[in-house]
């Protein structure tokens, strides 16, 4: 195996026999300690409750958007939009339209595949939720976060409902029935009051009371908190969106025929010459660290930095974190366009090419590459470009030289990370929810 790996370092991969490719790739897999993944067990009653909650717009202030609106099974557990459209929007997926007077949510809606894996210890593009059940969690709620979470995915589910743009709505909003949005009136400094108000909504519906009792038979109804709802949502997401039967998974289990020769060449490049695995590492293909890879700035911006989005820097204040975002996982990446924290690239090959020379890619990026509605919010001024490049990840300052054929091989490998089970959308859909509100289907 060592000899085969050395041969690959000397010869063009295009001329290496497949047995040598397998030997080299197996050596690489062992070196990086990549192992087959196992689907976590979930409580079926929690998952049933979580599915109802995931699709129920009762969790939004105006009762017009659900978790599924931005993380829909029909759209790769996302929405296929460059930037998401939250409260006040209409429609679903790429056809969704923004509401009057609203802004796009500043960051791309990530897919939620395999988020129940034990390796996860961060959530969101800026990792503002981090930690483990054993060590505790660091979140925007600080000491106001309740206890009793099953995993970090459940902690993540606590926060979209508190966001005005995503689900909660603005002061003065009315819901779909013309009633005042009581959630919007609550101070953002009191997230526990938002969660309490949501539980009041849910437990006023008899069917939800029954579902919570089935999921939590040892918890009195009057002691249920939104963390119990969040645990259920996480259980559903784990059950519905864990996919571990891609060609890559089967290769990891020992099937040498699971990958094509081109995909094997791409895998060796991924872990070797192309250096992708320096950030897209481990079983999840993310180091869960934050890197500035020179992505163009567009959209409404985020918080105090608007109209720019400085990423992780807003959480840490460290100059090295300016414009840095958490490395996304890559499983099913071929079907989860658009890419980057703001959906800057629609095509996977273009996203790969950007990594090879971010400086040139950022300088060459044009407004025509994003939807027309967002072009007025494209910030390509010289000083903005210079700011972004000033803290570019050192690993990316020097271009990586790959041939067109090698890029094709890399993209072919990335396609091998797709589990075809993700196309069985109907298995995750439901026709109705306990609130009686309409369900986003397809």
């Amino acid at each position: 195996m060592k000899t085969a790996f050395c041969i690959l370092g000397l010869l063009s991969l295009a001329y290496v026999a497949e047995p040598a490719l397998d030997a080299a790739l197996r050596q690489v897999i062992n070196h990086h300690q990549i192992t087959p993944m196992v689907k976590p067990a979930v409580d079926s009653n929690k998952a049933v409750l979580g599915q109802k909650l995931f699709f129920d717009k009762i969790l939004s202030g105006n009762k017009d958007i659900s978790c599924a609106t931005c993380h829909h099974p029909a759209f790769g557990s996302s929405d296929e939009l460059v930037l998401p459209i939250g409260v006040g929007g209409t429609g679903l997926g790429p056809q969704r339209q923004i509401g009057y007077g609203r802004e796009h949510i500043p960051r791309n809606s990530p897919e939620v595949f395999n988020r129940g894996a034990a390796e996860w210890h961060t959530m969101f593009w800026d990792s503002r939720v981090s930690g483990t059940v054993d060590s505790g969690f660091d979140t925007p709620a600080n000491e106001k976060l309740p206890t009793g979470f099953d995993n970090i995915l459940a902690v993540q589910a606590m926060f979209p409902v508190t966001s005005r743009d995503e689900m909660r709505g603005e002061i003065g909003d009315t819901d779909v029935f013309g009633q005042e949005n009581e959630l919007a009136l609550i101070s953002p400094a009191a997230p526990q009051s938002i969660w309490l108000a949501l539980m009041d909504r849910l437990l006023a519906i008899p069917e939800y009371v029954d579902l919570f009792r089935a999921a939590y038979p040892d918890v009195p109804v009057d002691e249920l908190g939104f963390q119990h709802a969040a645990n259920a949502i996480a259980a559903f997401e784990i059950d519905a969106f864990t996919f571990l039967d891609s060609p890559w998974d089967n290769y990891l289990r020992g099937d040498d025929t699971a990958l094509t020769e081109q995909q094997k060449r791409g895998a060796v490049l991924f872990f070797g010459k192309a250096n992708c695995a320096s950030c897209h590492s481990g079983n999840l293909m993310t180091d869960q660290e934050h890197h500035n890879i020179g992505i163009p700035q567009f959209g409404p911006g985020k918080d105090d930095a608007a109209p720019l989005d400085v990423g992780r820097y807003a959480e840490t204040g460290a100059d090295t974190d300016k414009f840095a975002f958490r490395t996304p996982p890559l499983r099913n990446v071929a079907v989860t366009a658009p890419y980057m924290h703001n959906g800057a690239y629609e095509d996977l090959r273009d996203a790969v090419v950007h990594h090879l020379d971010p400086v040139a890619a950022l300088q060459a990026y044009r407004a025509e590459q994003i939807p027309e509605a967002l072009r007025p919010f494209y910030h390509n001024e010289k000083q903005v470009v210079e700011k972004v490049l000033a803290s570019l990840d050192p690993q990316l300052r020097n271009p990586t030289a790959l041939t067109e054929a090698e890029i094709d091989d890399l993209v072919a490998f990335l396609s091998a990370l797709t589990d075809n089970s993700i196309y069985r959308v109907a298995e995750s859909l439901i026709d109705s929810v306990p609130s009686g509100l309409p369900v986003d289907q397809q």
Side-chain angles (χ1 to χ4, degrees), residues 75 78-84 93-96 104 108-109 295-296 298 332-355 365-375 411 414:
F75 305 110
S78 181
D79 56 11
E80 294 186 1
L81 292 170
V82 171
L83 294 179
Q95 305 306 315
R96 188 164 172 78
H104 285 81
N108 180 259
S109 177
I295 300 303
F298 60 83
N332 302 300
V333 67
V335 294
T336 58
Y339 306 103
M340 313 302 183
H341 77 274
N342 57 3
Y345 290 101
E346 289 281 355
D347 183 80
L348 180 58
R349 197 179 197 278
D350 290 342
V352 171
V353 169
H354 176 99
H355 286 76
Y365 197 86
R366 295 293 178 262
E368 291 74 22
Q369 294 176 247
I370 58 178
E372 187 173 357
L374 289 170
R375 290 172 192 172
V411 174
L414 295 176

Side-chain angles (χ1 to χ4, degrees), residues 153-173:
L153 182 59
V155 181
Q156 181 276 333
M158 299 289 287
F159 291 96
V161 296
T162 68
S163 167
R164 290 198 181 279
D165 292 337
E166 292 183 46
M167 297 186 74
R168 188 156 71 98
E170 299 287 348
I171 294 174
D173 281 355

Side-chain angles (χ1 to χ4, degrees), residues 345-424:
Y345 290 101
E346 289 281 355
D347 183 80
L348 180 58
R349 197 179 197 278
D350 290 342
V352 171
V353 169
H354 176 99
H355 286 76
L356 303 179
D357 191 351
V359 175
L362 176 58
Q363 293 172 340
Y365 197 86
R366 295 293 178 262
E368 291 74 22
Q369 294 176 247
I370 58 178
E372 187 173 357
L374 289 170
R375 290 172 192 172
F377 306 98
Y378 174 39
H379 311 294
N380 65 334
E381 300 87 352
K382 180 181 178 181
Q383 62 269 30
V384 173
V385 172
E386 290 175 348
K387 281 183 180 180
V388 173
L389 293 179
S391 58
L392 187 71
D393 193 297
Q395 297 181 83
L396 299 174
R397 292 191 179 277
N398 296 317
T400 299
L402 295 184
T403 67
E404 293 297 312
E406 287 174 326
I407 296 171
D408 290 341
D409 290 348
L410 262 181
V411 174
F413 169 62
L414 295 176
S415 72
L417 306 177
T418 303
D419 183 333
N420 286 330
S421 299
I422 66 172
Y423 299 113
R424 297 203 297 265

Side-chain angles (χ1 to χ4, degrees), residues 48-59 66-67 202 208 212 228-230 232-233 430 433-434:
V48 169
L49 168 61
Q51 184 183 35
K52 300 289 187 181
L53 294 168
F54 189 83
F55 283 93
D56 202 332
K57 296 176 181 179
I58 195 72
L59 295 188
S66 69
C67 305
L202 293 173
Y208 269 127
F212 273 101
H228 297 98
I233 292 171
I430 51 178
V433 289

